[in-house]
């Protein structure tokens, strides 16, 4: 069954359609006075009144997600997810449809899924839809309101057979976001601003771009203002905006678009297009500029949820989880992970051996099986493994965990608590028990203060990007920048930053300042594997290679490995020496220049859809690969200032899974943003020495040489005097 | 009421781009090769034009009509598609040009021994075919097209234009050369009048009777209210044609389109048709009406009918932007062709009615 039909079936009662009528056929043969030739027997060929599929106003994931495709998975014994749902007023009294399915491992009798709208439960169901997706509907009740709504889905799963951390990965319920939401008959969607915004969400979810339809595209500033106005109701989201011409046919259903029209008045109205789309028509004087402020005014009244913000941690002060807005964490999951994101000042920097501290107040149930563990992680690095299989107590004595402060970054960071509790026995369903582990809200974190220092880092520049920062690499690429313009918000007091959006074909314009970064390497990283494989295999030369030269244009890291079999003993000896010495050379190089290694080597092992370059402070370049969806990349970048996993350093690659890999140039010196004083000199020197060890080494050697020279001079002078 | 009508019509007339007249364009320029509407023309061709040049009306036994060939020739000329036009002309001349009076037989049937069982003509087919050739002659500089267009214009003027039954100097356009003149009067089809085609063909060929016929026809249509599919015109007025539809149906749907395309936005029949059909927001367009009550007898989901209605809505409302759906070649031949014609009419004459 086509799942697209599900809501249609469900809406059967909602959308009374005009019954198709059997049109009488007028057949007029020949030409007589009684039966002249008629126009085509159109009655026979006309399509009767149509059944139009209802619109699904979709739910949009609230949290940063690496989900690829429309299926959102709630995994584990206890799982919870939050979604935005922007509804027009006409949705009142409607129903929420969830297209969902669960793992066959879920035991329905002991499991349930609870759905809440704006913190009010609107329904719960037993997960017993295995295999294909099934539709669950529930009335919205009086919890719904026009504008943004918060939908939370909480899944409580129990395994049929097994118990344990591994078994938890087999427990899931998936929601198809492309087919879940509030179904409305197409004709019922109105022309209010909330209707248009809701239609925009449906259009974005459809995978089709949101057209800005105009016979003559306006200038960049106007498009920027328009994209910004359209994006305002969607904090943290990027709209897949695209330019189109009025007469262009388009595949797929259209829910919403914007049309710019010359007129005798500046005016913004919302109408229905000939294809049923909700169209925001922005009229402007002929030859004049469309006034995007009219769009902002029209949409600005709509109620939207504020974007989430990260708690700020002031260095040098003890901050509890409660202070960060985190309640006591309780879980009965066998596998559990909870990330707590927080923000450090942008000019906080400690690279040496300073310690930060987590004071953890936790407890766990008795009788947990051997191997039960609680991992405490900072930015993905485990800083302590706490056994949960001995010494059980509801609240254990406070445990202070010191960890290297250099694990923390300026900007967003992540503290994680991850527990793994084997089943006991593992081959039977988990007994229904109380909470297995808790981390109290009194748990605290103390980050040592640092001198005000900064390293060159794209993360800091990204936090300053506003719609005005976004530019196209070439005039032809203007349309590609629209999602970026819609994604970013105004930043009060933002430093001037320029974000240039380029495609692979603009590669000639991209500043490849980083050593080892070549157009070929960049292209290989962003091209699909099927294509890059062809590029990576240059045609074999006719004869044996004279030496192992890298292909033309290749970076050093791409050099072809020396052949292991050679015809004479000297070549073999040379090869052996190279193979033996290479690791040593690499190790020494890493010691002298700690960090991510050369860019060429780093990039050679990475593949992505888009790349961000920070060739110099205040200048960012986004290069979109052929498989990149501009809106998805824009969204990932807009989230970056609050994402601990966001792009950092000088080069970052966005993988197909939505995760960033970042490369920082080794040996970059931090910049001190306050005077050197006795209070900060130790940290300053520590940061400099950690960033560039040879500097400390050289300095120390220099001091040693000076000391030695002084000593020698002293000895010589002293001895000379004695001899006299 | 009348005053309001006039005012709105005046506003609508202001929206008409003066450069809408094809023949008024320098050298009779076709639609630019990179115009986005060219994609719709390509879709139309792919759906309905066979390689041999035959335009297929699928639901009508896959038949071809002189009307379809005429529509195709006109559209090919407008879109500057000389290759398609040549195919259409070749096929039409080879299969439908079999009458001594040079008019075209109205229908060709595939897969039967006698492909043209009835050699009668249909005047609208002849008119559009001749109009298309006249445009093509100007745009492509082909003398043979000009000659054939002139020949057809002369034949239409001679065999299909008759004096009004009331004995006045007015002229009427018969739907065919024979069979439409009765002792009581003449049977006419308002949708066979395409005033602009008649006027421009008259100018091209020197057949002034065609231009007069266009004026008189437009006046007659203006008096009809909601245009019927067929009507009997007598010395005393217009009445239902015996045995033929007097409802406003699929035939009559073309009347507002041709009035719009001709720039005759002040014609009351256009307003009546647009107002009776209501707004263009609904997916299901009313396509057949009871002329007496205005009741909707039938609706259609084909976007082509909605396109005509939306263009009329926009042209008369004075409000920029039309809810014309994007062209969709998945609909049958007839609504698809009306759809494409509505888009052409918009591009040529109603620049403010760009699809929103």
């Amino acid at each position: 069954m086509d799942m697209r039909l599900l809501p249609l079936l469900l809406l059967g009662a909602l959308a009374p359609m005009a019954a198709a009528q059997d049109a009488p056929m007028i057949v007029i043969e020949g030409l007589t006075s009684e039966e002249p030739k008629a126009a085509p027997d159109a009655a026979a060929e006309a399509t009767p009144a149509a059944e139009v599929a209802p619109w699904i106003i979709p739910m949009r994931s609230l949290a940063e997600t690496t989900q690829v495709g429309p299926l959102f998975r709630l995994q584990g014994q206890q799982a919870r997810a939050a979604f935005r749902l922007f509804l027009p007023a006409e949705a009142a009294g409607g129903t929420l449809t969830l297209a969902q399915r669960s793992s066959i491992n879920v035991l329905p009798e002991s499991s349930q899924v609870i759905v809440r709208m704006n913190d009010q439960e609107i329904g719960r169901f037993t997960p017993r839809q295995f295999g294909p997706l099934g539709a669950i509907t529930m009335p919205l009740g009086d919890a719904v309101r026009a504008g943004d709504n918060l939908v939370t889905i909480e899944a409580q799963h129990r395994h049929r057979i097994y118990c344990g951390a591994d078994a938890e990965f087999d427990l899931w319920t998936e929601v198809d976001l492309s087919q879940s939401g509030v179904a409305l008959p197409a004709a019922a969607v109105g022309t209010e601003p909330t209707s248009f915004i809701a239609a925009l969400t449906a259009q974005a979810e459809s995978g089709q771009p949101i057209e800005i339809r105009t016979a003559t595209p306006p200038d960049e500033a106007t498009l920027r203002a328009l994209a910004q106005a359209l994006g305002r109701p969607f904090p943290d989201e990027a709209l897949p905006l695209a330019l189109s011409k009025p007469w262009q046919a388009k595949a797929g259903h259209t829910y919403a678009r914007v049309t710019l029209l010359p007129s005798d008045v500046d005016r913004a109205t919302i109408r229905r297009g000939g294809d049923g789309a909700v169209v925001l028509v922005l009229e402007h004087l002929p030859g004049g500029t469309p006034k995007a402020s009219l769009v902002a005014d029209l949409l600005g009244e709509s109620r939207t949820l504020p974007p989430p913000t990260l708690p700020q941690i002031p260095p040098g002060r003890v901050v509890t989880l409660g202070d960060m807005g985190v309640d006591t964490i309780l879980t009965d999951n066998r596998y559990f992970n909870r990330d707590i994101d927080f923000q450090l000042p942008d000019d906080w920097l400690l690279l040496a051996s300073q310690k930060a501290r987590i004071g953890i107040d936790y407890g766990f149930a008795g009788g947990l099986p051997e191997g039960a563990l609680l991992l405490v992680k900072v930015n993905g690095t485990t800083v302590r493994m706490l056994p949960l299989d001995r010494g059980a107590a509801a609240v254990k004595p406070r445990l202070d965990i010191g960890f290297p402060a250099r694990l923390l970054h300026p900007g967003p960071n992540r503290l994680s608590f991850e527990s793994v509790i084997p089943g006991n026995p593992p081959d039977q369903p988990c007994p229904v028990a109380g909470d297995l582990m808790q981390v109290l809200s009194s748990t605290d974190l103390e980050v040592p203060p640092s001198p005000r220092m900064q390293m060159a880092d794209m993360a800091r520049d990204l936090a300053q990007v506003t719609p005005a920062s976004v530019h196209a690499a070439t005039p032809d690429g203007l349309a590609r920048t629209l999602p970026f313009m819609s994604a970013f918000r105004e930043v009060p007091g933002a430093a001037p930053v320029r974000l240039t959006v380029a495609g692979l074909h603009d590669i000639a314009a991209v500043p490849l300042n980083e050593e080892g970064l070549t157009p070929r390497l960049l292209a290989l990283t962003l091209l699909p594997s099927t294509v890059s494989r062809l590029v990576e295999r240059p045609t074999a030369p006719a004869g044996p290679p004279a030496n192992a030269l890298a292909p033309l244009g290749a970076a050093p890291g791409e050099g072809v490995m020396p052949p292991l079999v050679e015809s004479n003993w000297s070549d073999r000896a040379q090869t052996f020496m190279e193979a033996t010495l290479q690791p040593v050379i690499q190790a020494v190089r890493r010691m002298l220049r700690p960090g991510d290694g050369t860019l060429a080597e780093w990039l050679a092992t990475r593949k992505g859809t888009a790349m961000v370059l920070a060739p110099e402070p205040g200048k960012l370049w986004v290069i979109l690969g052929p498989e990149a969806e501009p809106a998805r990349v824009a969204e990932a970048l807009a989230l970056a200032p609050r994402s601990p996993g966001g792009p950092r350093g000088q080069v970052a690659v966005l993988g197909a899974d939505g995760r960033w890999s970042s490369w920082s140039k080794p040996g970059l010196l931090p910049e001190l943003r306050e005077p050197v004083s006795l209070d900060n000199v130790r940290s300053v020197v520590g940061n400099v020495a950690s960033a560039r060890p040879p500097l400390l080494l050289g300095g120390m050697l220099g001091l040693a040489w000076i000391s030695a020279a002084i000593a020698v001079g002293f000895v010589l002078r002293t001895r000379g005097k004695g001899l006299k | 009421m009348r005053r309001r009508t006039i005012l709105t019509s005046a506003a609508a007339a202001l929206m008409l781009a003066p450069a809408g007249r094809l023949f008024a364009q320098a050298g009779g320029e076709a639609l630019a090769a990179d115009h986005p509407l060219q994609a719709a023309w390509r879709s139309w061709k792919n759906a309905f034009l066979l390689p041999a040049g035959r335009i297929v009306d699928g639901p009508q036994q896959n038949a071809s009509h002189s009307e379809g060939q005429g529509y195709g020739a006109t559209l090919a000329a407008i879109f500057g598609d000389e290759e398609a036009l040549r195919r259409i002309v070749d096929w039409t001349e080879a299969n439908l040009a079999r009458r001594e009076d040079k008019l075209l037989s109205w229908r060709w049937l595939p897969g039967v021994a006698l492909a043209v069982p009835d050699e009668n003509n249909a005047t609208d087919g002849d008119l559009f075919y001749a109009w298309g050739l006249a445009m093509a002659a100007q745009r492509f500089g082909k003398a043979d097209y000009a000659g054939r267009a002139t020949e057809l214009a002369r034949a239409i003027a001679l065999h299909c234009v008759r004096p009004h039954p009331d004995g006045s100097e007015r002229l009427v356009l018969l739907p065919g050369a024979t069979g439409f003149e009765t002792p009581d009067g003449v049977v006419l089809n308002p949708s066979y009048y395409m005033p602009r085609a008649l006027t421009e063909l008259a100018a091209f060929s020197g057949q002034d009777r065609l231009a007069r016929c266009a004026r008189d026809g437009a006046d007659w249509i203006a008096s009809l209210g909601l245009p019927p599919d067929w009507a009997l015109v007598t010395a005393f007025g217009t009445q239902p044609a015996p045995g033929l539809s007097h409802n406003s149906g699929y035939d009559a749907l073309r009347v507002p389109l041709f009035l719009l395309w001709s720039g005759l936005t002040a014609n009351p029949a256009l307003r009546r048709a647009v107002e009776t059909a209501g707004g263009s927001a609904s997916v299901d367009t009313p396509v057949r009406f009871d002329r007496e009550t205005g009741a909707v007898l039938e609706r259609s989901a084909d976007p082509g009918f909605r396109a005509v209605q939306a263009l009329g809505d926009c042209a008369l409302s004075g409000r920029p932007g039309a809810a014309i759906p994007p062209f969709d070649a998945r609909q049958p031949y007839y609504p698809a062709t009306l759809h494409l014609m509505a888009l052409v009419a918009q591009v040529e004459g109603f620049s403010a009615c760009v699809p929103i």
Side-chain angles (χ1 to χ4, degrees), chain B residues 22-341:
Chain B
L22 285 171
F23 284 6
Q25 292 172 3
E29 287 173 10
L31 214 60
D34 61 350
H35 194 285
L37 200 54
Q38 291 281 1
W41 165 242
R42 287 192 292 274
S43 299
W44 188 91
K45 279 195 302 180
N46 290 339
F48 308 112
L49 176 61
L50 295 184
R54 182 168 89 83
I55 290 155
V56 180
D57 186 351
Q60 299 289 321
Q61 305 166 275
N62 288 324
S64 294
H65 303 99
S66 61
E67 169 219 83
Q69 300 300 120
Y71 289 166
T74 299
L75 291 169
I78 287 170
F79 283 96
D81 191 341
E82 190 176 359
E83 185 272 335
L85 180 80
R86 170 53 64 192
R87 284 193 280 141
I88 292 169
V89 169
D90 286 350
W91 188 89
T92 306
E93 295 297 325
N95 294 280
L96 296 179
R98 51 179 64 218
R99 289 166 57 99
E100 289 186 358
D101 58 11
K102 307 302 180 189
L103 297 170
L104 302 173
S105 297
W106 76 280
R107 188 171 66 157
W108 185 92
L109 291 168
V112 294
L114 192 57
V116 183
D118 176 2
E119 291 198 349
N120 279 305
N121 78 306
T123 309
D124 63 337
D126 296 315
L127 174 62
F128 270 88
Y129 185 64
W131 187 37
L133 289 177
M135 278 191 278
Q138 289 206 333
R139 289 170 185 186
F140 310 136
K142 300 284 185 186
D144 56 337
Y145 292 160
R148 181 68 172 126
T150 305
E151 185 178 66
L152 274 165
R154 192 181 303 124
I156 294 169
L158 185 63
H159 301 292
C160 304
V161 175
R162 291 283 182 270
H164 196 281
D166 65 3
S168 68
E169 292 185 347
R170 290 185 293 165
L171 299 175
V172 295
L173 182 71
L174 296 178
T178 55
F180 293 92
E181 293 171 284
T182 72
D184 298 327
V186 290
V187 173
L188 302 184
N189 185 321
S191 72
Y192 280 39
Y193 282 91
M194 186 352 178
R196 178 172 165 186
L198 285 165
T199 306
E200 292 183 353
L201 190 59
F204 182 83
S205 64
Q207 295 294 325
D208 293 339
R209 279 164 61 85
L210 296 183
R212 281 176 54 203
C213 196
R215 281 194 300 274
D216 294 343
D219 289 345
W220 172 60
I221 288 170
S223 71
L224 292 174
L226 191 59
D229 288 332
W230 295 91
L232 176 66
V233 175
T234 69
F236 310 105
T238 301
Q239 52 186 269
L244 293 169
S245 164
H246 194 58
N247 287 323
S248 185
Y250 286 96
D251 269 12
L253 283 174
R254 290 176 293 192
V255 174
L257 171 62
F258 293 162
L259 289 174
L260 286 164
W261 205 354
S262 302
L264 300 175
T265 49
N267 193 303
L270 172 63
R271 174 164 298 280
R272 182 69 195 279
V274 170
E275 286 178 351
T276 305
S280 52
S282 171
V283 172
D284 298 323
T285 313
V287 287
R288 210 158 63 83
F289 306 88
D290 184 317
R291 284 191 71 234
E292 305 304 321
T293 63
V296 176
L297 300 176
E298 192 177 338
R299 292 175 179 272
S300 169
D302 290 324
F305 302 126
R306 200 157 70 251
V308 176
Q309 175 63 19
L311 180 60
D313 253 353
C314 173
L316 296 186
S317 70
R319 185 187 191 193
I324 301 176
F327 181 75
D328 187 347
R330 290 170 298 181
Q331 57 193 320
Y333 150 82
Y334 184 58
T337 305
L338 297 193
H339 197 161
L340 191 54
M341 286 176 168

Side-chain angles (χ1 to χ4, degrees), chain A residues 497-514:
Chain A
V497 171
R498 188 181 178 92
L499 175 75
T500 307
V501 182
L504 259 188
H505 50 278
D506 301 322
I507 211 160
V510 177
L512 303 177
N513 297 357
E514 293 299 340

Side-chain angles (χ1 to χ4, degrees), chain A residues 402-577:
Chain A
F403 63 94
R406 62 174 175 271
L407 290 177
L408 297 166
H409 313 299
N413 290 272
R414 178 165 291 168
L415 172 65
S416 307
F417 297 101
E418 183 178 357
S419 63
V420 181
I421 301 171
N424 187 24
D427 55 356
Q428 285 183 17
C430 292
V432 177
D435 293 319
L436 299 177
M437 188 274 293
Q438 66 170 345
V439 177
L440 276 62
S441 61
S442 57
T443 296
D444 59 36
L445 172 67
E446 184 178 8
V447 177
S450 89
R452 292 185 58 215
M453 295 188 85
Q454 288 181 339
M455 296 276 277
D457 187 351
M458 68 170 69
R460 198 169 51 254
D461 285 341
L462 276 170
Q464 305 293 313
V465 174
T466 66
S469 311
V470 179
H471 298 275
T474 58
D476 294 344
L478 181 59
R480 222 175 11 225
T481 64
L482 295 176
F484 293 84
M485 291 169 175
S486 76
F488 292 101
R489 305 281 167 268
E490 292 297 342
V491 180
V497 171
R498 188 181 178 92
L499 175 75
T500 307
V501 182
L504 259 188
H505 50 278
D506 301 322
I507 211 160
V510 177
L512 303 177
N513 297 357
E514 293 299 340
E515 187 185 341
L517 184 58
T518 63
R520 181 174 179 275
L521 192 54
L522 196 149
L524 284 176
T525 306
L526 297 182
L527 284 171
S529 301
T530 46
V531 180
S532 61
R533 206 174 294 134
L534 300 174
V535 180
E536 280 173 316
R537 291 177 182 162
T539 310
N547 54 36
L549 286 176
L552 187 64
E558 301 175 80
V560 178
M561 284 296 288
L564 293 176
V565 180
E566 288 290 348
S567 56
N568 59 61
W569 68 268
S570 63
D571 284 343
R572 260 182 283 169
Q574 185 185 344
T575 304
F576 175 77
M577 288 299 288

Side-chain angles (χ1 to χ4, degrees), chain A residues 253-524:
Chain A
H253 189 82
T254 302
Y255 298 93
R257 71 172 157 268
V258 179
T259 297
L260 309 182
L261 276 184
S263 172
D264 56 357
V265 65
D266 283 307
R267 177 171 52 192
T269 52
I270 297 170
R271 295 154 65 176
R272 296 297 292 265
D275 52 357
V278 182
V279 184
L280 194 156
V281 179
L282 181 57
E283 296 170 50
H284 60 90
L285 299 175
T289 304
K291 289 191 165 36
S293 59
L294 296 172
V295 176
D297 294 343
L298 191 65
L299 305 183
E301 301 300 317
S302 306
R303 183 190 165 282
T304 54
L305 295 174
T309 53
L310 294 186
Q312 303 282 332
I313 301 290
R317 274 177 48 191
V318 176
V319 179
T320 66
L321 296 189
D323 295 336
M324 295 189 218
V326 179
D327 295 330
T328 292
I329 299 165
L330 291 162
T331 182
D332 65 348
N333 284 11
R334 297 287 162 159
Y335 173 80
F336 172 83
N337 184 69
R338 173 71 186 272
D339 294 328
I340 299 162
D341 293 347
F342 59 93
Q343 186 110 12
L344 285 174
D346 284 343
D347 55 3
W348 179 93
L349 188 71
L350 288 177
L351 300 175
S353 57
Q354 294 91 338
K355 292 284 185 191
R357 183 192 62 80
I358 298 167
I360 184 170
D361 296 323
Y362 74 113
F364 51 94
L368 295 184
E370 188 179 346
L373 279 176
L374 170 63
L375 306 179
V376 182
K377 295 182 175 181
V378 174
N379 288 328
T381 301
T382 302
V383 296
R384 186 60 65 94
M385 286 197 295
L386 301 171
L388 302 181
D389 53 3
R390 68 199 83 137
V395 179
K396 298 275 288 179
R398 158 65 66 100
L399 176 67
D400 281 334
I401 302 170
F403 63 94
R406 62 174 175 271
L407 290 177
L408 297 166
H409 313 299
N413 290 272
R414 178 165 291 168
L415 172 65
S416 307
F417 297 101
E418 183 178 357
S419 63
V420 181
I421 301 171
N424 187 24
D427 55 356
Q428 285 183 17
C430 292
V432 177
D435 293 319
L436 299 177
M437 188 274 293
Q438 66 170 345
V439 177
L440 276 62
S441 61
S442 57
T443 296
D444 59 36
L445 172 67
E446 184 178 8
V447 177
S450 89
R452 292 185 58 215
M453 295 188 85
Q454 288 181 339
M455 296 276 277
D457 187 351
M458 68 170 69
R460 198 169 51 254
D461 285 341
L462 276 170
Q464 305 293 313
V465 174
T466 66
S469 311
V470 179
H471 298 275
T474 58
D476 294 344
L478 181 59
R480 222 175 11 225
T481 64
L482 295 176
F484 293 84
M485 291 169 175
S486 76
F488 292 101
R489 305 281 167 268
E490 292 297 342
V491 180
V497 171
R498 188 181 178 92
L499 175 75
T500 307
V501 182
L504 259 188
H505 50 278
D506 301 322
I507 211 160
V510 177
L512 303 177
N513 297 357
E514 293 299 340
E515 187 185 341
L517 184 58
T518 63
R520 181 174 179 275
L521 192 54
L522 196 149
L524 284 176

Side-chain angles (χ1 to χ4, degrees), chain A residues 56-338:
Chain A
I56 301 285
I57 309 301
M59 303 190 305
R60 297 119 60 210
S61 178
L62 191 63
E64 183 185 5
T65 173
T66 54
Q67 152 213 347
V68 176
L71 290 176
F72 189 97
R73 179 171 285 196
L74 293 116
Q75 187 167 276
Q77 203 156 280
Q78 295 273 355
R80 188 174 180 277
F83 304 88
R84 289 177 194 273
L85 177 60
F86 194 101
L87 290 176
E90 47 268 30
T95 55
L96 178 72
T97 300
L98 294 181
Q100 48 76 42
R101 67 180 174 195
S102 298
S103 156
I104 189 67
N105 296 297
V106 172
L107 179 65
E109 290 74 17
S110 306
S111 305
Q112 63 176 344
V113 178
I114 303 165
V115 183
R116 295 184 179 87
M117 173 82 71
N118 301 322
D119 295 327
Q120 185 178 324
E121 183 176 326
I122 59 168
R124 60 176 65 200
F125 64 92
T126 302
R128 55 174 78 249
Q129 178 70 34
F130 310 118
L133 291 161
I136 291 281
T137 61
M138 56 201 76
L140 294 172
D142 52 7
V144 70
R145 54 200 174 207
D148 244 342
N149 293 270
L150 181 68
V151 179
T152 50
I153 303 178
E154 184 181 335
Q156 299 169 357
H157 296 133
R158 287 289 179 276
H159 203 288
R160 286 177 190 272
I161 305 168
Y162 301 121
C163 179
D166 289 345
E168 293 243 353
F169 287 95
D170 297 332
L171 295 175
W172 48 261
T173 291
E174 284 181 336
V175 179
D176 184 347
L177 295 181
S178 69
Q179 300 189 77
S180 298
V182 173
L184 287 174
V189 181
T191 51
E192 297 298 314
T194 52
S195 312
F196 176 70
I197 296 172
L200 279 181
T201 66
Q203 183 68 32
E205 182 60 39
S206 73
Q208 299 291 323
I210 298 167
E211 292 175 76
I212 297 178
R213 183 180 276 193
T214 172
T216 314
D219 57 32
E220 184 176 329
T222 304
L223 282 174
R224 176 180 291 111
L226 185 58
Q228 188 179 358
L230 292 169
R232 187 174 293 174
F234 304 100
D236 289 342
E237 294 175 60
L239 298 177
L241 298 170
L243 291 173
S244 73
K245 295 265 186 190
W247 303 275
Q248 278 174 346
K250 187 169 162 290
H253 189 82
T254 302
Y255 298 93
R257 71 172 157 268
V258 179
T259 297
L260 309 182
L261 276 184
S263 172
D264 56 357
V265 65
D266 283 307
R267 177 171 52 192
T269 52
I270 297 170
R271 295 154 65 176
R272 296 297 292 265
D275 52 357
V278 182
V279 184
L280 194 156
V281 179
L282 181 57
E283 296 170 50
H284 60 90
L285 299 175
T289 304
K291 289 191 165 36
S293 59
L294 296 172
V295 176
D297 294 343
L298 191 65
L299 305 183
E301 301 300 317
S302 306
R303 183 190 165 282
T304 54
L305 295 174
T309 53
L310 294 186
Q312 303 282 332
I313 301 290
R317 274 177 48 191
V318 176
V319 179
T320 66
L321 296 189
D323 295 336
M324 295 189 218
V326 179
D327 295 330
T328 292
I329 299 165
L330 291 162
T331 182
D332 65 348
N333 284 11
R334 297 287 162 159
Y335 173 80
F336 172 83
N337 184 69
R338 173 71 186 272

Side-chain angles (χ1 to χ4, degrees), chain A residues 615-673:
Chain A
E616 57 182 291
K619 298 264 193 307
L620 295 169
W621 282 74
V622 184
I623 298 107
L624 302 173
E627 294 190 322
E629 292 175 37
R632 200 169 160 82
V633 178
E635 202 163 293
L637 284 176
L639 282 168
R642 290 198 315 281
S643 170
R648 297 189 160 273
Q650 281 64 54
V651 178
V653 175
L654 180 64
D657 60 356
R659 296 178 198 276
W660 290 99
S661 302
S662 301
W663 177 85
S664 293
K665 186 174 186 172
L668 276 181
L669 276 179
E671 178 193 346
L672 183 63
R673 301 177 69 84

